[in-house]
Amino acid sequence: LDRVSIQITPTVPHCSVVSLIGLAVCLRLRRRLDPRKVKVSIQLSKGSHDHEVEVNKQLQDKERVSAALENPALLERLEWTLAE
């Protein structure tokens, strides 16, 4: 199993859309890479966000990420984010 590790550095430590950005990156990678062959890890860069620990927990929780990506309203927002 191959691994891909992504570190995200928000532009400001109080960025309100950092979870959305993390989910968008996750969605893009899931569409490009075979999840059976590649394990993806997305994290905030150390010390880059006021809620770094909480956001990293959310992005590492497979069930929460899957549930988020199944939410039609959130998926629409992510599609819009990726189109920009």
Side-chain angles (χ1 to χ4, degrees):
L1 192 67
D2 291 324
R3 294 181 179 268
V4 174
S5 294
I6 305 288
Q7 285 195 344
I8 298 171
T9 304
T11 54
V12 293
H14 55 274
C15 179
S16 62
V17 294
V18 72
S19 293
L20 184 69
I21 293 167
L23 286 171
V25 170
C26 181
L27 180 61
R28 175 63 56 96
L29 290 172
R30 281 186 175 195
R31 289 180 174 173
R32 305 269 186 210
L33 305 172
D34 184 347
R36 295 169 298 182
K37 295 182 180 179
V38 180
K39 171 144 175 52
V40 175
S41 172
I42 301 171
Q43 296 185 52
L44 299 182
S45 300
K46 189 161 183 73
S48 66
H49 195 271
D50 295 341
H51 301 287
E52 171 192 343
V53 173
E54 294 88 349
V55 173
N56 281 340
K57 280 184 183 179
Q58 290 175 355
L59 293 173
Q60 295 304 312
D61 186 332
K62 287 196 270 185
E63 290 180 11
R64 288 179 79 167
V65 170
S66 292
L69 297 178
E70 291 173 4
N71 177 319
L74 184 54
L75 190 57
E76 182 178 334
R77 175 65 187 216
L78 291 170
E79 295 287 2
W80 179 84
T81 302
L82 291 172
E84 292 296 307

